[in-house]
Amino acid sequence: MSIEVSFNGSNERVVSYIRNTGRRVVVELLREMERQMIMLRDRVVATKLSGQVLKNRTGTLRRSQHYSVTQTETSITGIVSTDPAASKYGAVHEYGGSYTVRAHLRKGHLVKSHTVTFSERSFLRSTLRESTPGIMDGLRAAVQRAIKES
């Protein structure tokens, strides 16, 4: 989503209004983006990682979901992702692929190291796809709030 405003003129009051409104828009968008990313992360954990797509066995994948919001001069970016250090198998579930299980003891029996292949079971991309209309509505509403406050 891109919003661009241009004004040609020398009226200082109008230019000041546009600058101040632009700052308020950025502040509102940052707040709304963070709110949306928290809701998206919570939706992933509450639905997709609680039985809808993947069953919760140890809780490691659920605990490794986090969000971030970053701002540059020209963009505000929200991300929900799986911490790869905490859950090495998250990407294998999301995209499909193979995962090597190390040798371990299970109920007193030695399980040898082996490779397990998973089909794609998206929990991040599918939640984003389902949530995009609501996220966009929230961001539009944030812009409207900022403009109304001006």
Side-chain angles (χ1 to χ4, degrees), residues 93-128:
H93 285 299
E94 181 69 25
Y95 299 104
S98 298
Y99 180 75
T100 301
V101 178
R102 297 186 315 218
H104 62 280
L105 286 176
R106 183 171 189 166
K107 297 182 181 179
H109 297 286
L110 177 63
V111 177
K112 293 182 181 181
S113 177
H114 61 283
T115 301
V116 179
T117 301
F118 294 100
S119 59
E120 177 182 312
R121 296 184 286 180
S122 175
F123 57 95
L124 289 172
R125 292 173 298 146
S126 61
T127 306
L128 176 60

Side-chain angles (χ1 to χ4, degrees), residues 23-109:
R23 288 185 197 111
R24 281 191 283 278
V25 168
V26 169
V27 168
E28 283 296 323
L29 283 172
L30 280 167
R31 285 183 189 146
E32 184 62 23
M33 183 65 82
E34 182 167 25
R35 189 176 83 76
Q36 291 293 333
M37 293 304 100
I38 290 169
M39 288 180 1
L40 187 62
R41 182 213 47 212
D42 291 351
R43 198 170 298 129
V44 166
V45 170
T47 60
K48 306 293 180 154
L49 298 179
S50 296
Q52 188 181 60
V53 174
L54 297 171
K55 293 180 181 171
N56 180 25
R57 295 184 74 189
T58 64
T60 301
L61 190 57
R62 289 174 63 179
R63 286 189 304 274
S64 67
Q65 302 307 304
H66 64 277
Y67 77 93
S68 64
V69 175
T70 57
Q71 175 188 8
T72 68
E73 243 181 73
T74 59
S75 69
I76 297 171
T77 304
I79 298 172
V80 173
S81 60
T82 302
D83 182 356
S87 180
K88 297 176 180 121
Y89 53 87
V92 173
H93 285 299
E94 181 69 25
Y95 299 104
S98 298
Y99 180 75
T100 301
V101 178
R102 297 186 315 218
H104 62 280
L105 286 176
R106 183 171 189 166
K107 297 182 181 179
H109 297 286

